[in-house]
Amino acid sequence: MMKASIWAVLAVPAMLAGCGDNRSPAQDAADVAEIRAMHDNPPAVPIDPERISYTDIEKNDLFGAGCGFAPENSLSVIALAQPERGFLKIDGAIVTLSPDKGGASLPMSSWQSYAGSDYAFELKQLPGEGEESGVESTSWPGSLTITDAKGKAVYQSEGTLQCGA
């Protein structure tokens, strides 16, 4: 497989030269460099995190104090941050992540950053006044960024960060 991709990269200048363009060696080299860069560093593949339902919470024992994030114009929580673990739902499966306890904290002993083998997420409490949104919860403007295993952003949204017991 590796040999085939190397030959494809090396064949590009020959194919471009056959197109009748009066291309310079520098143009050919730039094209080859661009193709190599795309091969070595493919673009991030966007994801669409799913709603973590009450059924998911019951089935996976996700109860406890912490913070949840819902994107703008939605009441559906797509990320949960608890003191000892964080959660996303991707492709129908709950993904469990570990907190970065050396990083910034959020209310209810939760953390700003969580990471796993395939994904990581960062929750931020944006400037603005928190408002009580229940007996034991407060909501603030917030943002969520999910990155892949290579640290590339695959999802970003602003919305509501709600923390409570």
Side-chain angles (χ1 to χ4, degrees):
M1 172 100 172
M2 183 66 147
K3 288 182 181 179
S5 62
I6 291 172
W7 285 111
V9 169
L10 296 175
V12 169
M15 289 187 301
L16 293 173
C19 293
D21 291 353
N22 291 328
R23 297 178 53 86
S24 72
Q27 290 169 315
D28 292 341
D31 289 341
V32 169
E34 182 179 350
I35 292 168
R36 281 188 181 147
M38 287 181 63
H39 179 269
D40 294 340
N41 194 16
V45 177
I47 64 166
D48 191 16
E50 300 165 34
R51 173 182 169 259
I52 299 173
S53 68
Y54 189 75
T55 302
D56 294 321
I57 292 170
E58 283 184 324
K59 186 176 173 181
N60 296 282
D61 192 25
L62 309 183
F63 295 103
C67 297
F69 176 83
E72 281 183 327
N73 303 319
S74 175
L75 298 174
S76 298
V77 171
I78 61 170
L80 287 174
Q82 295 178 344
E84 299 299 323
R85 55 198 182 154
F87 304 98
L88 298 170
K89 185 176 180 183
I90 300 172
D91 295 330
I94 296 294
V95 177
T96 303
L97 303 108
S98 298
D100 175 4
K101 293 184 177 182
S105 63
L106 292 172
M108 304 304 296
S109 301
S110 58
W111 303 93
Q112 185 171 304
S113 299
Y114 292 78
S117 59
D118 296 326
Y119 297 100
F121 73 78
E122 181 178 66
L123 287 171
K124 288 189 179 176
Q125 184 177 333
L126 300 177
E129 293 294 318
E131 61 182 59
E132 288 187 30
S133 53
V135 177
E136 296 181 23
S137 63
T138 304
S139 296
W140 294 270
S143 69
L144 170 67
T145 300
I146 302 173
T147 55
D148 64 14
K150 294 185 178 189
K152 294 180 180 182
V154 294
Y155 179 86
Q156 292 180 318
S157 179
E158 288 190 358
T160 301
L161 179 66
Q162 184 178 61
C163 301

PDB file of all heavy atoms in Angstrom, residues 106-129:
ATOM      1  N   LEU A 106     -14.447  23.399  36.458  1.00  0.00           N
ATOM      2  CA  LEU A 106     -15.774  23.963  36.249  1.00  0.00           C
ATOM      3  C   LEU A 106     -16.563  23.752  37.545  1.00  0.00           C
ATOM      4  O   LEU A 106     -16.096  23.052  38.445  1.00  0.00           O
ATOM      5  CB  LEU A 106     -16.472  23.259  35.075  1.00  0.00           C
ATOM      6  CG  LEU A 106     -15.893  23.501  33.694  1.00  0.00           C
ATOM      7  CD1 LEU A 106     -16.559  22.582  32.674  1.00  0.00           C
ATOM      8  CD2 LEU A 106     -16.060  24.956  33.267  1.00  0.00           C
ATOM      9  N   PRO A 107     -17.761  24.311  37.650  1.00  0.00           N
ATOM     10  CA  PRO A 107     -18.565  24.084  38.850  1.00  0.00           C
ATOM     11  C   PRO A 107     -18.854  22.593  39.074  1.00  0.00           C
ATOM     12  O   PRO A 107     -18.719  21.776  38.161  1.00  0.00           O
ATOM     13  CB  PRO A 107     -19.863  24.845  38.541  1.00  0.00           C
ATOM     14  CG  PRO A 107     -19.453  25.907  37.579  1.00  0.00           C
ATOM     15  CD  PRO A 107     -18.385  25.269  36.734  1.00  0.00           C
ATOM     16  N   MET A 108     -19.269  22.251  40.259  1.00  0.00           N
ATOM     17  CA  MET A 108     -19.663  20.897  40.653  1.00  0.00           C
ATOM     18  C   MET A 108     -18.514  19.902  40.538  1.00  0.00           C
ATOM     19  O   MET A 108     -18.707  18.734  40.207  1.00  0.00           O
ATOM     20  CB  MET A 108     -20.884  20.416  39.859  1.00  0.00           C
ATOM     21  CG  MET A 108     -22.097  21.316  39.935  1.00  0.00           C
ATOM     22  SD  MET A 108     -22.678  21.666  41.605  1.00  0.00           S
ATOM     23  CE  MET A 108     -23.183  20.065  42.169  1.00  0.00           C
ATOM     24  N   SER A 109     -17.304  20.373  40.800  1.00  0.00           N
ATOM     25  CA  SER A 109     -16.101  19.525  40.784  1.00  0.00           C
ATOM     26  C   SER A 109     -15.842  18.862  39.436  1.00  0.00           C
ATOM     27  O   SER A 109     -15.188  17.828  39.358  1.00  0.00           O
ATOM     28  CB  SER A 109     -16.177  18.449  41.879  1.00  0.00           C
ATOM     29  OG  SER A 109     -16.297  19.043  43.141  1.00  0.00           O
ATOM     30  N   SER A 110     -16.373  19.448  38.373  1.00  0.00           N
ATOM     31  CA  SER A 110     -16.096  18.918  37.034  1.00  0.00           C
ATOM     32  C   SER A 110     -14.916  19.691  36.448  1.00  0.00           C
ATOM     33  O   SER A 110     -14.416  20.637  37.046  1.00  0.00           O
ATOM     34  CB  SER A 110     -17.338  19.010  36.138  1.00  0.00           C
ATOM     35  OG  SER A 110     -17.786  20.338  36.026  1.00  0.00           O
ATOM     36  N   TRP A 111     -14.479  19.260  35.275  1.00  0.00           N
ATOM     37  CA  TRP A 111     -13.264  19.804  34.674  1.00  0.00           C
ATOM     38  C   TRP A 111     -13.544  20.356  33.297  1.00  0.00           C
ATOM     39  O   TRP A 111     -14.532  20.010  32.659  1.00  0.00           O
ATOM     40  CB  TRP A 111     -12.183  18.722  34.624  1.00  0.00           C
ATOM     41  CG  TRP A 111     -11.912  18.181  35.984  1.00  0.00           C
ATOM     42  CD1 TRP A 111     -12.491  17.090  36.565  1.00  0.00           C
ATOM     43  CD2 TRP A 111     -11.067  18.760  36.973  1.00  0.00           C
ATOM     44  NE1 TRP A 111     -12.038  16.956  37.850  1.00  0.00           N
ATOM     45  CE2 TRP A 111     -11.166  17.952  38.127  1.00  0.00           C
ATOM     46  CE3 TRP A 111     -10.231  19.863  36.992  1.00  0.00           C
ATOM     47  CZ2 TRP A 111     -10.459  18.226  39.290  1.00  0.00           C
ATOM     48  CZ3 TRP A 111      -9.518  20.128  38.142  1.00  0.00           C
ATOM     49  CH2 TRP A 111      -9.636  19.323  39.276  1.00  0.00           C
ATOM     50  N   GLN A 112     -12.664  21.199  32.844  1.00  0.00           N
ATOM     51  CA  GLN A 112     -12.814  21.824  31.532  1.00  0.00           C
ATOM     52  C   GLN A 112     -12.442  20.861  30.405  1.00  0.00           C
ATOM     53  O   GLN A 112     -13.036  20.891  29.347  1.00  0.00           O
ATOM     54  CB  GLN A 112     -11.928  23.071  31.462  1.00  0.00           C
ATOM     55  CG  GLN A 112     -12.090  23.876  30.195  1.00  0.00           C
ATOM     56  CD  GLN A 112     -11.366  25.204  30.288  1.00  0.00           C
ATOM     57  OE1 GLN A 112     -11.616  25.982  31.199  1.00  0.00           O
ATOM     58  NE2 GLN A 112     -10.478  25.464  29.356  1.00  0.00           N
ATOM     59  N   SER A 113     -11.451  19.984  30.632  1.00  0.00           N
ATOM     60  CA  SER A 113     -10.950  19.117  29.569  1.00  0.00           C
ATOM     61  C   SER A 113     -11.035  17.645  29.951  1.00  0.00           C
ATOM     62  O   SER A 113     -10.726  17.272  31.084  1.00  0.00           O
ATOM     63  CB  SER A 113      -9.497  19.463  29.248  1.00  0.00           C
ATOM     64  OG  SER A 113      -9.395  20.797  28.793  1.00  0.00           O
ATOM     65  N   TYR A 114     -11.411  16.830  28.964  1.00  0.00           N
ATOM     66  CA  TYR A 114     -11.515  15.377  29.115  1.00  0.00           C
ATOM     67  C   TYR A 114     -10.920  14.745  27.866  1.00  0.00           C
ATOM     68  O   TYR A 114     -11.056  15.289  26.763  1.00  0.00           O
ATOM     69  CB  TYR A 114     -12.983  14.942  29.246  1.00  0.00           C
ATOM     70  CG  TYR A 114     -13.617  15.412  30.543  1.00  0.00           C
ATOM     71  CD1 TYR A 114     -14.032  16.727  30.702  1.00  0.00           C
ATOM     72  CD2 TYR A 114     -13.779  14.539  31.609  1.00  0.00           C
ATOM     73  CE1 TYR A 114     -14.593  17.162  31.893  1.00  0.00           C
ATOM     74  CE2 TYR A 114     -14.340  14.964  32.808  1.00  0.00           C
ATOM     75  CZ  TYR A 114     -14.749  16.276  32.943  1.00  0.00           C
ATOM     76  OH  TYR A 114     -15.294  16.708  34.134  1.00  0.00           O
ATOM     77  N   ALA A 115     -10.274  13.585  28.018  1.00  0.00           N
ATOM     78  CA  ALA A 115      -9.649  12.940  26.861  1.00  0.00           C
ATOM     79  C   ALA A 115      -9.818  11.425  26.923  1.00  0.00           C
ATOM     80  O   ALA A 115      -9.869  10.831  28.000  1.00  0.00           O
ATOM     81  CB  ALA A 115      -8.162  13.289  26.798  1.00  0.00           C
ATOM     82  N   GLY A 116      -9.887  10.828  25.729  1.00  0.00           N
ATOM     83  CA  GLY A 116      -9.946   9.380  25.581  1.00  0.00           C
ATOM     84  C   GLY A 116      -9.032   8.979  24.439  1.00  0.00           C
ATOM     85  O   GLY A 116      -8.271   9.796  23.921  1.00  0.00           O
ATOM     86  N   SER A 117      -9.110   7.731  24.010  1.00  0.00           N
ATOM     87  CA  SER A 117      -8.213   7.248  22.958  1.00  0.00           C
ATOM     88  C   SER A 117      -8.563   7.817  21.585  1.00  0.00           C
ATOM     89  O   SER A 117      -7.673   8.027  20.762  1.00  0.00           O
ATOM     90  CB  SER A 117      -8.221   5.721  22.913  1.00  0.00           C
ATOM     91  OG  SER A 117      -9.531   5.242  22.672  1.00  0.00           O
ATOM     92  N   ASP A 118      -9.841   8.072  21.321  1.00  0.00           N
ATOM     93  CA  ASP A 118     -10.247   8.563  19.991  1.00  0.00           C
ATOM     94  C   ASP A 118     -10.645  10.036  19.967  1.00  0.00           C
ATOM     95  O   ASP A 118     -10.534  10.688  18.930  1.00  0.00           O
ATOM     96  CB  ASP A 118     -11.416   7.725  19.460  1.00  0.00           C
ATOM     97  CG  ASP A 118     -11.034   6.286  19.222  1.00  0.00           C
ATOM     98  OD1 ASP A 118      -9.878   6.033  18.827  1.00  0.00           O
ATOM     99  OD2 ASP A 118     -11.884   5.401  19.435  1.00  0.00           O
ATOM    100  N   TYR A 119     -11.153  10.540  21.081  1.00  0.00           N
ATOM    101  CA  TYR A 119     -11.644  11.917  21.128  1.00  0.00           C
ATOM    102  C   TYR A 119     -11.266  12.583  22.445  1.00  0.00           C
ATOM    103  O   TYR A 119     -10.988  11.913  23.440  1.00  0.00           O
ATOM    104  CB  TYR A 119     -13.178  11.953  20.992  1.00  0.00           C
ATOM    105  CG  TYR A 119     -13.667  11.432  19.676  1.00  0.00           C
ATOM    106  CD1 TYR A 119     -14.168  10.144  19.554  1.00  0.00           C
ATOM    107  CD2 TYR A 119     -13.609  12.227  18.533  1.00  0.00           C
ATOM    108  CE1 TYR A 119     -14.601   9.658  18.335  1.00  0.00           C
ATOM    109  CE2 TYR A 119     -14.040  11.754  17.312  1.00  0.00           C
ATOM    110  CZ  TYR A 119     -14.534  10.463  17.222  1.00  0.00           C
ATOM    111  OH  TYR A 119     -14.953   9.997  16.012  1.00  0.00           O
ATOM    112  N   ALA A 120     -11.302  13.899  22.428  1.00  0.00           N
ATOM    113  CA  ALA A 120     -11.154  14.720  23.629  1.00  0.00           C
ATOM    114  C   ALA A 120     -12.163  15.849  23.507  1.00  0.00           C
ATOM    115  O   ALA A 120     -12.588  16.196  22.398  1.00  0.00           O
ATOM    116  CB  ALA A 120      -9.738  15.274  23.740  1.00  0.00           C
ATOM    117  N   PHE A 121     -12.560  16.409  24.634  1.00  0.00           N
ATOM    118  CA  PHE A 121     -13.407  17.602  24.547  1.00  0.00           C
ATOM    119  C   PHE A 121     -13.000  18.627  25.582  1.00  0.00           C
ATOM    120  O   PHE A 121     -12.405  18.312  26.597  1.00  0.00           O
ATOM    121  CB  PHE A 121     -14.906  17.278  24.595  1.00  0.00           C
ATOM    122  CG  PHE A 121     -15.493  16.861  25.922  1.00  0.00           C
ATOM    123  CD1 PHE A 121     -15.776  17.790  26.914  1.00  0.00           C
ATOM    124  CD2 PHE A 121     -15.840  15.541  26.141  1.00  0.00           C
ATOM    125  CE1 PHE A 121     -16.365  17.410  28.101  1.00  0.00           C
ATOM    126  CE2 PHE A 121     -16.436  15.143  27.335  1.00  0.00           C
ATOM    127  CZ  PHE A 121     -16.697  16.081  28.312  1.00  0.00           C
ATOM    128  N   GLU A 122     -13.325  19.875  25.235  1.00  0.00           N
ATOM    129  CA  GLU A 122     -13.070  20.995  26.128  1.00  0.00           C
ATOM    130  C   GLU A 122     -14.352  21.802  26.250  1.00  0.00           C
ATOM    131  O   GLU A 122     -14.924  22.227  25.239  1.00  0.00           O
ATOM    132  CB  GLU A 122     -11.948  21.875  25.581  1.00  0.00           C
ATOM    133  CG  GLU A 122     -11.631  23.046  26.493  1.00  0.00           C
ATOM    134  CD  GLU A 122     -10.486  23.888  25.973  1.00  0.00           C
ATOM    135  OE1 GLU A 122     -10.654  24.523  24.915  1.00  0.00           O
ATOM    136  OE2 GLU A 122      -9.444  23.904  26.634  1.00  0.00           O
ATOM    137  N   LEU A 123     -14.796  21.983  27.475  1.00  0.00           N
ATOM    138  CA  LEU A 123     -15.951  22.823  27.777  1.00  0.00           C
ATOM    139  C   LEU A 123     -15.437  24.143  28.321  1.00  0.00           C
ATOM    140  O   LEU A 123     -14.486  24.150  29.111  1.00  0.00           O
ATOM    141  CB  LEU A 123     -16.822  22.174  28.853  1.00  0.00           C
ATOM    142  CG  LEU A 123     -17.651  20.981  28.446  1.00  0.00           C
ATOM    143  CD1 LEU A 123     -18.265  20.335  29.682  1.00  0.00           C
ATOM    144  CD2 LEU A 123     -18.748  21.418  27.500  1.00  0.00           C
ATOM    145  N   LYS A 124     -16.066  25.219  27.911  1.00  0.00           N
ATOM    146  CA  LYS A 124     -15.688  26.522  28.458  1.00  0.00           C
ATOM    147  C   LYS A 124     -16.934  27.248  28.931  1.00  0.00           C
ATOM    148  O   LYS A 124     -17.972  27.195  28.286  1.00  0.00           O
ATOM    149  CB  LYS A 124     -14.968  27.372  27.405  1.00  0.00           C
ATOM    150  CG  LYS A 124     -13.580  26.882  27.095  1.00  0.00           C
ATOM    151  CD  LYS A 124     -12.837  27.855  26.227  1.00  0.00           C
ATOM    152  CE  LYS A 124     -11.430  27.358  25.956  1.00  0.00           C
ATOM    153  NZ  LYS A 124     -10.726  28.226  25.038  1.00  0.00           N
ATOM    154  N   GLN A 125     -16.774  27.899  30.047  1.00  0.00           N
ATOM    155  CA  GLN A 125     -17.807  28.781  30.568  1.00  0.00           C
ATOM    156  C   GLN A 125     -17.512  30.155  30.000  1.00  0.00           C
ATOM    157  O   GLN A 125     -16.483  30.748  30.310  1.00  0.00           O
ATOM    158  CB  GLN A 125     -17.766  28.775  32.091  1.00  0.00           C
ATOM    159  CG  GLN A 125     -18.842  29.570  32.747  1.00  0.00           C
ATOM    160  CD  GLN A 125     -18.750  29.450  34.263  1.00  0.00           C
ATOM    161  OE1 GLN A 125     -18.260  28.464  34.806  1.00  0.00           O
ATOM    162  NE2 GLN A 125     -19.215  30.469  34.946  1.00  0.00           N
ATOM    163  N   LEU A 126     -18.381  30.649  29.125  1.00  0.00           N
ATOM    164  CA  LEU A 126     -18.154  31.937  28.475  1.00  0.00           C
ATOM    165  C   LEU A 126     -18.585  33.075  29.395  1.00  0.00           C
ATOM    166  O   LEU A 126     -19.367  32.863  30.328  1.00  0.00           O
ATOM    167  CB  LEU A 126     -18.919  31.996  27.155  1.00  0.00           C
ATOM    168  CG  LEU A 126     -18.526  30.927  26.130  1.00  0.00           C
ATOM    169  CD1 LEU A 126     -19.402  31.033  24.888  1.00  0.00           C
ATOM    170  CD2 LEU A 126     -17.063  31.022  25.768  1.00  0.00           C
ATOM    171  N   PRO A 127     -18.096  34.281  29.141  1.00  0.00           N
ATOM    172  CA  PRO A 127     -18.502  35.423  29.975  1.00  0.00           C
ATOM    173  C   PRO A 127     -20.015  35.607  29.958  1.00  0.00           C
ATOM    174  O   PRO A 127     -20.668  35.404  28.936  1.00  0.00           O
ATOM    175  CB  PRO A 127     -17.809  36.618  29.309  1.00  0.00           C
ATOM    176  CG  PRO A 127     -16.683  36.034  28.526  1.00  0.00           C
ATOM    177  CD  PRO A 127     -17.142  34.668  28.104  1.00  0.00           C
ATOM    178  N   GLY A 128     -20.528  35.949  31.074  1.00  0.00           N
ATOM    179  CA  GLY A 128     -21.968  36.166  31.196  1.00  0.00           C
ATOM    180  C   GLY A 128     -22.426  35.702  32.564  1.00  0.00           C
ATOM    181  O   GLY A 128     -21.753  34.909  33.231  1.00  0.00           O
ATOM    182  N   GLU A 129     -23.550  36.200  32.947  1.00  0.00           N
ATOM    183  CA  GLU A 129     -24.107  35.847  34.255  1.00  0.00           C
ATOM    184  C   GLU A 129     -24.763  34.479  34.197  1.00  0.00           C
ATOM    185  O   GLU A 129     -25.479  34.161  33.253  1.00  0.00           O
ATOM    186  CB  GLU A 129     -25.157  36.890  34.671  1.00  0.00           C
ATOM    187  CG  GLU A 129     -24.585  38.262  34.951  1.00  0.00           C
ATOM    188  CD  GLU A 129     -23.685  38.266  36.169  1.00  0.00           C
ATOM    189  OE1 GLU A 129     -24.029  37.622  37.191  1.00  0.00           O
ATOM    190  OE2 GLU A 129     -22.628  38.916  36.100  1.00  0.00           O
TER     191      GLU A 129
END
